[in-house]
Amino acid sequence: RMEKKATIFQISLKDFKSYEGTHNIGPLYNFQAIVGPNGAGKSNLMDAISFVLGVKTGKLRSQNLGDLIHRKEGEREGKRSSCAVSIIFKEGEQQVKFERKVVKSGDGWASQYRIDNEGVSAEEYDSRLNTNYNIVTKAMNFLVFQGGVEAVASRSSKELTSQIELIADGEELKNQYEAALREKEEIEENTIYQYQKKKGMGSEKKQLKVQKEEAERYNTLERERRNTVKKHVLWLLYHIEADIKAHGKELSRKRVQAGEYASKAEELKAQIESAKKKQAEVQSEIRTAERKIRKKLEELEGSRPDAIKTQEEIDHIRKRMANADKNREKLNEEVKRHAAGIEDLEEKLASVEKELAILQSEIDASRRQTVTFSGDQLTEYNSRKEQVYKETVTEQQEMAQLERQQKNEQEEQDAMNAKITEYDNQKQRLEEAQTLLEDRQDKTNTSIEEDKSKIRQLQQQFEAARQENERAKARQTELTQKLDQVQTRIKDAKIDSRETQREKRFKETLADLQRLFPGVVGRLFDCCEVPNSKYDIAVTVAMGPNMDAIVTDTERTAKECVSYLKEQRLGTATFLPLDRLRVEPINEHLRMLGERAKPIADCIRYDKKIEPAVLYAVGNTLVSDTVADAKRVAFGKTRHKVVSTDGILIAKSGLMTGGLSGIESKAQRWKAKEVEQFKKDRETLWKELTDLGRGVRNQNLEAQLETQISELEAKIEFSRNDLATTKDKIKKIEKDLATLEKNRRILNNQTDEKSKSLTERQEQINEISEVIAEKEDDIFEEFVTAVGVNNIREYEQKQLKDAQRQNENRTRLTSLQSRLQNQLDYERKRDLETPRVQLETQLEKDKERLEELEAKQEEVKEEDKNGQKELAKLRKEEDKLRSQVAEAEHVLKELRKDEAIQTHELRGVSKNIAAEETMVERLKDRRRAILHRCKVEEIRLPIKGEAEKEKAEKKKRPRDDEAEEEGEEEGEKSESESESEGEEMEIDEESLTTEDEKQISKIEFSLIKKSLVAKSQEEYNKLNETYLEDIAKLVSDMEKIAPNLRAINRYDDVVDRYTSTSEEFEKLRKRAEKLVKKFTKIKKLRFEKFMEAYNIISNNIDRIYKEVTQDPGSQAYLTLENMQEPYLAGVKYNAVPPKKGFRDIEQLSGGEQTVAALALLFAMHAYRPAPFFILDEVDAALDQRNVQKMVRYIRKRSPDLQCIVISLKDQFFEHADALVGIYKDVPNEKSGTALLDLRKFSTR
């Protein structure tokens, strides 16, 4: 403990919070209590003390300094513009005054600081408090606010660590530590990165040297390959041009023949158009009749919802009237129950009031029987206490000496027990360390085995990578063949992929609808497939206009799409909402017709969810292979709608249609979908070929795997060294454990001897205590008889228990009386008559409405009967018009039959023309592809007249230029002497065929030798194969090299960067060493400061806890969670209350937690202790027994520590040296103070 240096002598407040004017509180004594009722201003006095000692405004229950100035309710803000609090410290005869004042500063408020009436800065003010009196404002080592004890008890281990470091004044070191740690980690990370970079660049330098040599060899082979490719391309273009001219002549002849058939077909088309016009007029009349019928049906259907609504309302009213009758009976029963409930409540209330009267009589009788001391009796009581002390002074001194000896020896035994505990903890830590090392040993062994397994896996991967490169080359050849096949199928399909402007707009519109409305499924055509192409035309005819209809999930989505099309003016479209389509499933009988016909829906492949849309479009339409089969099925016993595979449609009515314009081209769209799939396959093949091309050349993977195997072998060697070190550490720990066990046995023997000595001395103390007790009973014998009690202690305890029991009973009965009275008032105010009247009124209204609705229902039935008669008349007129349409259809059918013959002939010639056009287009596409390849691969073809120009230029060149080009000339010796490189041609792949022909016309084909001109397809294939083999051999030789072509240019750059990186690494390494030394120094200083505070607190906590609990069997101790750097982890606080086992502090009772927290606070106070300690209602959770213990401890500490406490318990404050009373002056809205010196009343 530190010797007492200074105490608070006086506190002065001026206009601070609830204190108006000036209040001087003092002198204050060593054990000073502050008392007063709740709301009187005790906490404001605590705020004043905190304020003058430099605590921030936010911790004083105020938002700003201006809130600290005293103001009455309704008082204007500017009346008082300042407040002040001063405190006088007294040290011997010397007094020092600290004052803090709030003053107006511009639009805000500011603090002024004074020491002995001399102005100082806030920093100097805090420094003087810290230096002279050990008052650390941030750590609050002088004050415990109300509720602060509970906060200490619930504090986590990390928070306790922060508090200890704050007390140890380590806040600045903490910031330095974190900054140094960040710098150290950053420089270490940069150093490691730079080292890895240096290592990687060294490896890269070695690889580039090898790659540079490979690249030079690769370039030589590349020049040979390009020359061979150029010859091959020139040879291919020559033969393509020859084939184009031959097929062009045949195409012209076929076109003349097609013109003759087309003119005859046009004459028949004109006659068909006339017949169709007449038929259309009759059909227009039929549509008019149909519109009238639909309108009449809509009128009849429109009236039905009103009739249904009327019937529903009638049913609803009848149901409501039945419910009203039931509710009327329930209301009558409720009125009876309400009256009975009021009567029951009145009886219960009368019974409670009677019990209250009886209880009051008992309280009055108890007060009359209470024994109280008169003034003379109190004087006699104090006198007899003095007499007891004088007559037993020898025994008391002897007992005090024995107790001191007992205490000292007990502390020695506790120290030995603490040492034993420390040995146990040390043993536990060593055993844990041993366990960790053994785990590490096991993990290291496991790691070595895993690394060996990884090496085996990497070796397998190395072998697999080598095999994969060989497999990829084979796959590349296979994909090239497949790609050629797909290209051929696309050209053979001969689909006109050009889209009209209208179709493009429709696709863009559909894409927008799908993006904006998630419920748009898509176009019906896009959602279906026809697996068998022979049914393309039949499906197209069966679907009709619905083929381009848009399928949506709901009708709402369809309406939203229609609104969007109108707003954006994007045209019209048909929508098929799946939730509104009502279709019949396919009749299973239709699937049993055999080979003659089958449902056309079975010829379509589609998703199950769009089945309603497909059935809506085609229904139960059947499909037949021939028109004859279609007629037999359509006109059988049961009429069916049938379509033939060539597009002839027979309706149920017998109407037959066919040869519609554009059906064939429209049906071709099914094949277009197949071509799109071919194109997707082509893209997939191209992508895979590209990826394979990269994979074949990725031979660096083998080198990477070799590097990884080497690194793993080095790691295994390091793990083996670490394993040996770990085994040495385990042996050392086993040796330390044996030494600890030996020392613990010695301490156990010494503890047993101490326990025996303590027991003997305690028996002596008990004997002396009995002598003093007998003497005290003799002296007080007459006194207790006179006052009518057995002894003073019995009297005090009895009075307290009786008063407490009576107060609890009165509170319970008063609460019950209030609850019953409130319930009775509520029941009396309830209105049950109004709901009954409202119910009767509603019944009358429902009867009137029911009669009105029944009359309306009869009118609707009469209107529906008349509408049905008009509908029958309209349908009779429609049947007459349909018979006229059937006659016009017969005439149209004969004309179409004649037209079909001419069209068939024309189609045969057109197919021949298309075949020739396809062949020409295929040749032109091939020519364009070759020209595009020349552009992409930069193949420069010879141009007419360029050879002579090149020779002339060479003659003019200086000898030096010729020497420079010697290498190029050697690479071209294999070419014809007359062949030159020619100029590069700019070829646009999207240019017209005429542009291609212009470019072809410039090429010098005369350079091709006659021996290379193929006279047959067999000879052509043989020559082409020779070229391809030569090129493939060169490519194969190049692929074996797998060069890095940029290695030539990159090698010198990598050498320079490697040198620069090495220098940078050395700079970083030296700087890292300096930062590590700096961090270690700060870490050591922070550890020493923290441990200095921790050791003092830890060494005092157990002693203080025993003194507070007054039980040597209690125990309290602190444990560090991190021994190496304790400030980074938590400090665990454990307390074992008297006669209880070990448990976490959170599991202790409220009182036990409070006692443990107070012991911790006093232990913290032991490090750099302030000369005083202020406690605000810390006894709130303590029972009477613990309050007495706390009083004894504070009384014991009062010689060297001034304690100022706020308490509402008389068991606490009645033992103080003096009281400061705080009271509330309600009329004047301010707090007042009064002082009372209790020392003159003390009997101690």
Side-chain angles (χ1 to χ4, degrees), residues 134-175:
N134 280 341
I135 296 174
V136 184
T137 304
K138 289 183 179 179
M140 301 287 283
N141 66 332
F142 57 87
L143 173 66
V144 180
F145 276 118
Q146 184 176 354
V149 176
E150 290 81 352
V152 171
S154 60
R155 186 176 291 165
S156 68
S157 59
K158 288 287 288 183
E159 291 172 338
L160 184 54
T161 302
S162 300
Q163 182 67 17
I164 292 174
E165 188 160 30
L166 197 62
I167 292 171
D169 201 12
E171 192 71 19
E172 183 177 353
L173 278 175
K174 179 182 177 182
N175 297 332

Side-chain angles (χ1 to χ4, degrees), residues 595-780:
E595 297 179 356
R596 290 185 301 164
K598 61 180 177 181
I600 198 167
D602 293 347
C603 301
I604 305 171
R605 185 185 298 154
Y606 52 88
D607 193 340
K608 192 69 176 177
K609 71 178 183 181
I610 66 162
E611 185 176 34
V614 176
L615 295 181
Y616 176 84
V618 301
N620 282 322
T621 303
L622 300 174
V623 60
S624 295
D625 290 344
T626 64
V627 177
D629 288 339
K631 289 180 180 178
R632 283 194 291 271
V633 173
F635 302 116
K637 294 180 180 179
T638 304
R639 291 293 185 98
H640 297 292
K641 183 180 179 182
V642 187
V643 61
S644 65
T645 53
D646 57 357
I648 303 300
L649 177 67
I650 304 174
K652 283 186 178 182
S653 62
L655 181 65
M656 182 184 298
T657 58
L660 299 177
S661 176
I663 287 297
E664 286 188 347
S665 62
K666 195 173 181 181
Q668 289 289 337
R669 290 161 64 190
W670 298 105
K671 291 184 180 179
K673 295 175 71 174
E674 183 181 0
V675 173
E676 288 298 321
Q677 184 60 42
F678 288 156
K679 290 181 179 178
K680 289 179 182 177
D681 293 341
R682 181 177 63 184
E683 293 298 323
T684 304
L685 290 170
W686 269 116
K687 186 176 183 302
E688 189 175 354
L689 266 174
T690 305
D691 293 340
L692 278 174
R694 287 196 293 266
V696 170
R697 295 177 174 84
N698 191 18
Q699 295 182 353
N700 288 335
L701 177 61
E702 297 176 16
Q704 293 173 6
L705 290 172
E706 284 182 338
T707 303
Q708 291 178 16
I709 292 170
S710 301
E711 291 174 352
L712 283 173
E713 289 173 347
K715 182 181 175 185
I716 290 173
E717 184 63 28
F718 174 79
S719 297
R720 286 172 178 164
N721 294 335
D722 182 61
L723 185 62
T725 305
T726 303
K727 289 179 179 178
D728 293 340
K729 289 181 179 179
I730 291 172
K731 290 178 181 179
K732 185 177 181 302
I733 287 175
E734 289 173 349
K735 184 178 179 181
D736 292 344
L737 283 171
T739 304
L740 279 176
E741 187 61 31
K742 180 180 177 182
N743 293 337
R744 193 183 187 285
R745 284 196 298 271
I746 295 170
L747 277 176
N748 281 336
N749 295 334
Q750 294 175 354
T751 304
D752 293 340
E753 293 175 2
K754 288 287 183 186
S755 298
K756 184 177 180 182
S757 175
L758 287 169
T759 303
E760 293 174 356
R761 192 178 292 105
Q762 186 61 43
E763 291 174 355
Q764 295 176 17
I765 292 171
N766 292 339
E767 291 172 1
I768 296 171
S769 296
E770 290 175 1
V771 172
I772 294 172
E774 289 174 2
K775 194 67 176 176
E776 186 177 21
D777 290 341
D778 292 341
I779 293 171
F780 272 94

Side-chain angles (χ1 to χ4, degrees), residues 206-216 700 1043-1044 1047:
K206 292 178 183 178
Q207 291 178 0
L208 283 174
K209 186 175 180 181
V210 176
Q211 292 174 0
K212 178 183 177 184
E213 297 171 355
E214 291 180 347
E216 290 171 350
N700 288 335
N1044 179 4

